[in-house]
Amino acid sequence: MPLDFYNPPLKIFSSSSTKKGIEIGGAKSIISIDSHHNFYNEGNIYTEMSWAAFYEEEGLEDVIDTFSTTEFDSIREDPIALVDTIVKIIYQIINNQKIFYGIADFEVDAFLDANTTVIQGLKLDYDIINKLLEAHKRTRERDLFPKIINDNEDVIKILIEFQGTKKKNIHIQGSKLEDLINKLRLAKGFAVGIVCTSRNAANMYIMSDNIVFSKDEIAEMYIDTDNIKVIEYGIKKKLLFPISWFRIDIGIRSLETLELWDQIKDNPGLNKALGHYERYINALVYKKFKSQAESQKIGTDSEEDWMIMTPKERKKALRDMEKAIEFLNKEYKD
């Protein structure tokens, strides 16, 4: 199901091109979600775009000759500005009753280098990248970038949709904020892939991920070969047109992937904001479990229920009760 992505880094999704050159570069954004899982770009950590001019000689029309910077806006190497931005965004998310989803990287290299991918954590065969290169050329020539929706002067959005065998790791299921945060609060890891345009929407094809939703779980990277076959088929039939690479690190722990994290992690203002956010999500989790408890008959035949449980079920029940008591005690002290 398509989602709205509000205030996306527009240069990534609508980079301009002519026969003389193409705009390439990247952007890193902090993303939040609402109860419908719509994406919101809360602020950019950097946007770096350049104009890549092609050679004018015959036979070299798709080979880059020179680069010139067209846009540069970055705080990733400025610890003070980075902390100020993160703190502002955290309070912004709380006040607007959304959830800190993660950090999204988008890179537009026009798939001009068939020997590599620009997104960290993704390795693809030469043959696949070469097909993407040819398909992106058609995208540029036919101007098939996603349609920008401008509902009013202040709100800009595009439609996005996730594709892949493990897309539920990114498009988390739930109809309420408390459902989503109960899944996201311990989430860590990232998903990587490519963005393809189709029917004016940005389809985000997940090629690999190592996302987990528990504290001690570890996942291995993989290549989603089935999804790659879908992409290849869509490109062959001229139904899909690649526009950029993406990487999404999810959960509040995505902040740990920032280059300056070790320098800013002990900042008092940042830790105060993170403390407020933790209390905010704890309240949502408490609301979820309180609602569940009230919908059940508490205390009815509890001894009988305990006796018919398997050892594994009893162990889980005790662990859940310990967590609930620990959580309530913490809330009481706060």
Side-chain angles (χ1 to χ4, degrees), residues 92-150:
Q92 197 168 273
I93 290 171
I94 295 172
N95 292 335
N96 292 322
Q97 295 185 306
K98 291 184 286 189
I99 295 173
F100 188 110
Y101 182 77
I103 296 176
D105 284 271
F106 297 98
E107 296 284 345
V108 177
D109 69 343
F111 301 91
L112 292 174
D113 186 351
N115 296 312
T116 186
T117 60
V118 297
I119 286 292
Q120 181 184 0
L122 179 61
K123 295 181 179 180
L124 296 175
D125 292 337
Y126 171 88
D127 182 57
I128 295 171
I129 299 177
N130 201 45
K131 289 177 181 178
L132 294 174
L133 186 156
E134 292 299 322
H136 193 276
K137 183 179 178 181
R138 293 196 295 271
T139 307
R140 304 195 305 266
E141 291 172 347
R142 296 172 59 184
D143 191 22
L144 295 171
F145 294 98
K147 183 179 179 182
I148 305 300
I149 302 170
N150 193 346

Side-chain angles (χ1 to χ4, degrees), residues 203-264:
N203 286 268
M204 304 181 74
Y205 284 85
I206 303 164
M207 293 181 165
S208 185
D209 83 83
N210 64 352
I211 294 172
V212 295
F213 297 96
S214 61
K215 190 174 182 180
D216 301 319
E217 188 179 355
I218 298 175
E220 296 290 334
M221 296 296 293
Y222 65 94
I223 295 295
D224 190 339
T225 54
D226 290 339
N227 210 23
I228 290 176
K229 289 178 183 177
V230 171
I231 297 168
E232 290 181 306
Y233 178 81
I235 288 174
K236 182 179 179 181
K237 295 296 182 179
K238 299 181 180 180
L239 299 172
L240 296 177
F241 303 90
I243 57 176
S244 71
W245 304 99
F246 76 87
R247 168 172 166 153
I248 299 178
D249 291 78
I250 74 169
I252 196 71
R253 295 184 64 181
S254 63
L255 292 172
E256 297 172 12
T257 67
L258 296 174
E259 294 174 17
L260 296 184
W261 177 249
D262 285 340
Q263 291 185 40
I264 68 173

Side-chain angles (χ1 to χ4, degrees), residues 37 101 168-174 180 183-184 213 250:
H37 212 291
Y101 182 77
K168 287 185 178 179
N169 282 354
I170 288 290
H171 188 173
I172 298 166
Q173 303 301 299
L180 298 175
K183 189 81 172 175
L184 268 173
F213 297 96
I250 74 169

